[in-house]
Amino acid sequence: MTSRNLTSLQHQFADWEQVQEYYLAAKLTDGLPIVPPTETRVQAMLEYSGLAPDQVIGFESIRQKQITAEKVAINAVMAGCRPEYFPVVTSAISACCEPVFNLHASSTSTNGVTVMVLVSGEYAEEIGMNSSTGLMGPSNHANASIGRAVNLVKTNFYGSVPQEMDNSTFGHPGKYTFCFAENLEAGIWPSLAMDKGFDNHSSTVTAVAAYSPLQVSVFGGKDPDAFLLGIAHAMIGLGPSASEVFVALSPEVMKYVDDAGWSRRQVQEFLWEKARLPAKEWISWRRVEHPDRFPDKDQLVGCVGDPDRITVFAAGGAAGVYVDVIGSWGNSRPVTRKIEVRS
């Protein structure tokens, strides 16, 4: 793809099958077919966001990787993104490059985490993202291709190739794609974007070094004091080393919370309080790598450090009283970025 604007190497192929075989052999795909990143498609991606090919989207300091808009656009095309998805992709990549996200360690570790992309705000609806039924599953073009684009950048440009740099013991289905939107129509809480300090017209993307989700059935009636105990118990399963926990409430569960008049902060504080155990219990269950960190064995230890590290939001379809609990790897902190859309 050499032109007066684009600097990436150009390839010529006889047909579609030859394209796919080349990318598979070169380990430039996740094992699935890709959309050929022609110059026209890449330029369309860049032009939608008003980005120059050499504009730096993020810089990762450990490997000294400068990720440009051109490289991100190439992978977004390969993933199947439409141009209007590109602002979400670039914002997610920018978030991943923040030092606190710890992209290098999360890309090389045996723990198997992936990049989860959580979108909040009106832009998700504008581009057709799924925040409702089956939002973490297949069929939605925006969800699938945005999450895939982020992971392809991590593999193809950053170098986190499975069985090479990526040494995940088990892997994670979300390494294909793990992207969805907050359900703004469920409940009366402000959006996550607003909760994180952005104005009500802003849309945001939060990048998370995420474990796989744990779906929890809600029992115990409609009183948050009762049914949230089961969610706290599920959080305990993450152990005492998660950096943060993301809790997705289905609309039906969100209605229980609204009807009880509970704020997001109340839910955070309740879950944090109930997801703590004495250090000696964590130790007895062999959930602590270094027991000597806790000289006071009766000290209460939570799965996260404080209530602010629990993010609660509405998501999912109208039917079903379920909650998804998603842990963030302990050596990484989630990062939120505003989605910049050219007017």
Side-chain angles (χ1 to χ4, degrees):
M1 282 176 292
T2 300
S3 77
R4 62 187 181 88
N5 292 315
L6 304 182
T7 60
S8 298
L9 183 65
Q10 184 176 12
H11 296 279
Q12 298 290 333
F13 299 100
D15 52 33
W16 174 270
E17 287 74 17
Q18 192 179 53
V19 172
Q20 304 308 322
E21 289 302 321
Y22 170 81
Y23 278 87
L24 282 169
K27 298 183 179 180
L28 293 173
T29 175
D30 49 16
L32 296 173
I34 56 94
V35 176
T38 63
E39 181 176 321
T40 300
R41 291 182 177 125
V42 173
Q43 289 282 20
M45 203 71 68
L46 294 168
E47 287 170 8
Y48 184 88
S49 293
L51 296 174
D54 60 355
Q55 184 162 330
V56 177
I57 302 302
F59 178 77
E60 198 286 318
S61 60
I62 301 298
R63 301 198 71 214
Q64 296 288 295
K65 287 283 189 176
Q66 185 167 276
I67 304 176
T68 64
E70 179 178 338
K71 298 303 183 184
V72 179
I74 290 169
N75 284 278
V77 170
M78 290 169 60
C81 287
R82 292 175 173 158
E84 58 265 34
Y85 306 165
F86 195 51
V88 183
V89 177
T90 55
S91 296
I93 294 299
S94 174
C96 289
C97 289
E98 281 297 306
V100 294
F101 187 84
N102 206 354
L103 177 63
H104 181 72
S106 64
S107 299
T108 60
S109 177
T110 56
N111 62 64
V113 294
T114 189
V115 179
M116 183 181 86
V117 178
L118 169 57
V119 180
S120 173
E122 295 177 354
Y123 194 65
E125 184 176 356
E126 288 181 28
I127 63 174
M129 290 190 69
N130 185 11
S131 65
S132 185
T133 304
L135 78 167
M136 298 185 195
S139 83
N140 182 273
H141 186 189
N143 292 30
S145 60
I146 291 169
R148 188 187 186 198
V150 172
N151 278 290
L152 284 178
V153 171
K154 188 163 72 84
T155 302
N156 294 342
F157 185 76
Y158 189 68
S160 182
V161 178
Q163 300 174 6
E164 293 180 15
M165 182 192 292
D166 180 353
N167 287 297
S168 303
T169 302
F170 295 115
H172 184 331
K175 284 180 178 285
Y176 285 103
T177 181
F178 194 9
C179 172
F180 55 90
E182 176 187 16
N183 190 334
L184 297 176
E185 296 181 358
I188 59 175
W189 289 349
S191 69
L192 281 178
M194 292 179 65
D195 193 61
K196 292 182 180 296
F198 297 88
D199 62 53
N200 63 343
H201 299 296
S202 295
S203 295
T204 61
V205 58
T206 299
V208 186
Y211 293 107
S212 53
L214 172 63
Q215 182 170 294
V216 184
S217 297
V218 170
F219 301 115
K222 299 182 180 182
D223 182 358
D225 274 312
F227 72 76
L228 285 176
L229 288 172
I231 312 309
H233 184 263
M235 288 170 55
I236 287 172
L238 297 173
S241 60
S243 70
E244 297 193 23
V245 176
F246 287 73
V247 180
L249 308 180
S250 71
E252 194 166 346
V253 175
M254 191 69 232
K255 188 175 188 308
Y256 297 169
V257 174
D258 285 343
D259 289 347
W262 278 44
S263 67
R264 178 179 275 127
R265 185 66 186 180
Q266 282 177 278
V267 176
Q268 289 173 301
E269 291 179 347
F270 182 92
L271 292 174
W272 180 74
E273 180 68 33
K274 300 301 182 180
R276 296 191 298 165
L277 294 174
K280 61 187 177 185
E281 289 194 37
W282 292 114
I283 294 168
S284 70
W285 285 106
R286 303 300 189 268
R287 298 305 303 276
V288 176
E289 185 176 3
H290 302 290
D292 54 357
R293 287 175 47 209
F294 305 105
D296 179 2
K297 298 300 186 282
D298 292 318
Q299 171 190 350
L300 286 176
V301 178
C303 64
V304 292
D306 57 67
D308 289 331
R309 296 192 179 209
I310 302 172
T311 297
V312 189
F313 59 98
V321 283
Y322 299 110
V323 172
D324 255 8
V325 175
I326 305 166
S328 174
W329 182 48
N331 291 328
S332 172
R333 293 296 304 274
V335 177
T336 299
R337 281 281 181 273
K338 181 179 177 179
I339 299 171
E340 300 289 352
V341 183
R342 187 171 64 166
S343 59

